[in-house]
Amino acid sequence: RRMAAAGAATPVGAAPRVGLLYDDRMCAHATPDGEKHPENPERLRAIRRKLDAEGVASRCVDMKAKEAKEKYIASVHTPNHIKLIRDISSKEYDYRRNKTARKFNSIYFNEGSSESAFLAAGSVIEVAEKVAAGELSSAIALVRPPGHHAEHNEPMGFCLFNNVAIAANYLLNERPDLGINKILIVDWDVHHGNGTQKMFYSDPRVLFFSVHRFDYGSFYPCEGDASHCFIGEGAGEGYNINVPWEHGKCSDADYVAAWDHVLLPIAEAFDPDIILLSAGFDAAMGDPLGGCCITPDGYALLLTKLLGFAKGRIVMALEGGYNLKSIANSLCACTKVLLGDNFTYNSPRMQPFESTWRVIQMVRDELKAYWPVLSSKLP
Ligand code: 6DK
Ligand code: ZN
C-alpha cells in the first residue's frame, strides 16, 4: 500500500485511470416549491449528458456515491451544523412552512437535501481516497450541493457541507497510511472559498489558493482579500493565498497570468502530495452569475498546468457554474485533459487586464517573505 502511494499514479505508457463519480441521488436536492434557482439538478444532468455524448464518460472509471460518515464531517463542522443538515429533510422538519432556510444566507432545502449533502461530502472522500492510494490517476466528483462557502457552523451560498475540506481532513487525519502530508487546494470557482479558507487558516499542511471576483469587497461572499491580513495565521501563515479580481470580464489570459506568476511557482515550492480542485465553472463564458469569460480551452489549459504537480494526482470536485452549456463543455474539456488526450489551446489569445498585473504584483509582494520565488521582478 505504501509503495503504491509513493509510486507514480500512472505507469509510463499506460492510459490514465480517471474516476468519474456521478450519482442521480444528488439531483434530489432542489428548491422546495420548484422555484427557479441557478443551482439546480439540471446542472449535473447536463454535464453527464455531454460526457456521454462525447464518448468521454465510458473511458472513465465509473464511481458511485457513498454517504460521508458523521465523524468525518465532524472534522470541519460543529455537531449543531451536522444535526441541522441531518434533520432538515425529515418529516418532523417542515423546511417549507417554518422557513428555516430564510434564516440562512443563500440556502434552500427540500426533502432530498440531507441525503444529497451527505452523498456530496462522501463522494469527494471516496474519489480522493482512491487517487491518494494510486488506484486512480485522477478523478472528477460531480457533486451537489456545492461546498466551498460552508463554514464550521454555517451553511451558506448554496453550500451545506464543505465537501473538499472534509475530504482533505479525511486524507490527513484518517489515512496516514496513504502518505498524504501536504495538500494543495485550488479554488477556481468565481466566488471566494470563504469556508475552505477558514478551515485551514492555521494549518500549514493545506495550502489554500483561491482566485475569484472580489470587486473591492462587493462580490459575493465579500471575502477573499489578498492583503497580509488574510494570508493565514500561526503555523499557517503564508499558506492562504487569494487572488481577488477587481472586476468581472476576466478571461483565460488573466487566469493564466495568475497561474504562471502566483500559483505555479508556489505549488512548485510547496510540492503537494495531492491537489484538490474546487472546480466551479461559474467563471466560464456565458455564466449568469460570474460575468467572466473563461473558455473550455482555458479551463483545459489551467488544468494541464496543474498536472505537473503531485504526480498528476488531482481530484476535481464540482462547485458552482450556472450556464448548462458552459459547464458541460468546460468539464468535458477538463475530463479529456485528465484522460491524457492531446490538447492544443485554440481560443483567441487575449491580453491580461492592467488591473490583473496590479493584483498579481500585490499578491506577490504580500507573500514573498514566505515564498522567496515570488521576489523576482515580473517580466
Ligand atoms: N445568489 C458558488 O457558486 C455559490 O460559489 C455562489 C453563491 C452566490 C450567492 C449569491 C447569489 C443568487 C443569484 C441568482 C439567483 C439566485 C441567487 F458554492 C458555489 F456553488 F460554488 O448570487
Ligand atoms: Zn461560485
Side-chain angles (χ1 to χ4, degrees):
R1 188 41 104 242
R2 261 191 187 288
M3 289 299 288
T10 311
V12 180
R17 286 171 56 83
V18 180
L20 176 63
L21 190 151
Y22 173 88
D23 195 316
D24 246 344
R25 291 176 294 168
M26 283 182 277
C27 293
H29 171 63
T31 52
D33 308 297
E35 212 180 302
K36 260 192 147 112
H37 195 281
E39 204 293 279
N40 62 64
E42 283 311 308
R43 298 174 59 237
L44 287 194
R45 299 196 182 108
I47 294 166
R48 177 72 211 198
R49 269 199 301 275
K50 174 74 179 176
L51 297 181
D52 281 332
E54 291 277 320
V56 163
S58 62
R59 298 168 59 202
C60 297
V61 180
D62 202 33
M63 309 281 292
K64 277 290 160 264
K66 278 206 310 227
E67 289 193 24
K69 293 197 172 127
E70 288 204 9
K71 65 170 174 181
Y72 303 149
I73 298 174
S75 74
V76 307
H77 295 295
T78 62
N80 271 337
H81 183 125
I82 299 173
K83 188 175 180 328
L84 169 74
I85 305 303
R86 163 136 338 273
D87 292 349
I88 207 76
S89 299
S90 68
K91 285 207 176 61
E92 301 75 54
Y93 207 104
D94 192 340
Y95 47 82
R96 208 173 328 213
R97 202 135 38 111
N98 79 11
K99 303 281 185 205
T100 305
R102 290 230 175 130
K103 294 195 303 192
F104 296 99
N105 173 348
S106 306
I107 285 295
Y108 63 80
F109 304 105
N110 74 344
E111 57 282 346
S113 300
S114 182
E115 190 189 29
S116 294
F118 279 83
L119 287 170
S123 298
V124 183
I125 291 178
E126 181 74 7
V127 299
E129 174 184 57
K130 297 285 183 299
V131 172
E135 292 169 36
L136 296 170
S137 320
S138 59
I140 302 168
L142 299 176
V143 298
R144 59 182 293 280
H148 70 154
H149 297 305
E151 300 200 344
H152 289 104
N153 194 33
E154 202 193 349
M156 61 178 274
F158 315 165
C159 300
L160 302 185
F161 288 140
N162 196 317
N163 309 317
V164 164
I166 292 166
N169 267 342
Y170 172 81
L171 295 178
L172 291 171
N173 303 335
E174 305 287 334
R175 298 302 304 273
D177 57 309
L178 296 177
I180 301 294
N181 303 311
K182 288 179 288 177
I183 299 181
L184 170 62
I185 298 180
V186 175
D187 188 333
W188 73 27
D189 187 281
V190 80
H191 303 95
H192 177 241
N194 57 289
T196 316
Q197 161 167 309
K198 288 206 179 87
M199 276 145 195
F200 302 108
Y201 208 59
S202 53
D203 192 341
R205 299 173 304 172
V206 178
L207 198 160
F208 179 61
F209 172 92
S210 180
V211 55
H212 44 269
R213 256 186 92 170
F214 186 59
D215 300 33
Y216 308 98
S218 66
F219 196 78
Y220 191 90
C222 308
E223 292 184 52
D225 196 340
S227 96
H228 63 275
C229 303
F230 304 97
I231 55 171
E233 70 188 8
E237 218 177 284
Y239 292 85
N240 190 76
I241 295 157
N242 288 320
V243 176
W245 300 137
E246 291 177 2
H247 51 72
K249 298 203 167 70
C250 287
S251 72
D252 299 352
D254 302 286
Y255 279 75
V256 167
W259 253 230
D260 289 348
H261 303 294
V262 181
L263 175 57
L264 302 185
I266 293 176
E268 172 92 37
F270 180 62
D271 190 22
D273 300 315
I274 193 169
I275 299 178
L276 305 185
L277 182 55
S278 261
F281 292 93
D282 43 10
M285 190 181 281
D287 190 276
L289 269 60
C292 293
C293 44
I294 308 276
T295 66
D297 268 17
Y299 282 114
L301 180 58
L302 298 175
L303 182 60
T304 301
K305 286 171 180 266
L306 292 179
L307 274 176
F309 304 94
K311 302 199 179 83
R313 290 186 189 122
I314 295 191
V315 171
M316 297 180 67
L318 185 65
E319 299 280 1
Y322 306 103
N323 178 312
L324 298 186
K325 279 214 172 90
S326 306
I327 63 177
N329 292 340
S330 302
L331 238 150
C332 188
C334 288
T335 312
K336 289 179 178 170
V337 165
L338 296 183
L339 283 165
D341 289 3
N342 280 328
F343 152 75
T344 39
Y345 183 83
N346 271 323
S347 293
R349 277 174 193 282
M350 311 266 285
Q351 285 299 316
F353 286 108
E354 277 300 313
S355 61
T356 290
W357 293 116
R358 217 167 36 239
V359 170
I360 287 176
Q361 188 59 62
M362 169 181 65
V363 175
R364 287 168 64 97
D365 286 341
E366 298 288 12
L367 288 161
K368 64 188 176 200
Y370 309 91
W371 306 100
V373 59
L374 302 182
S375 304
S376 60
K377 270 221 156 331
L378 279 178

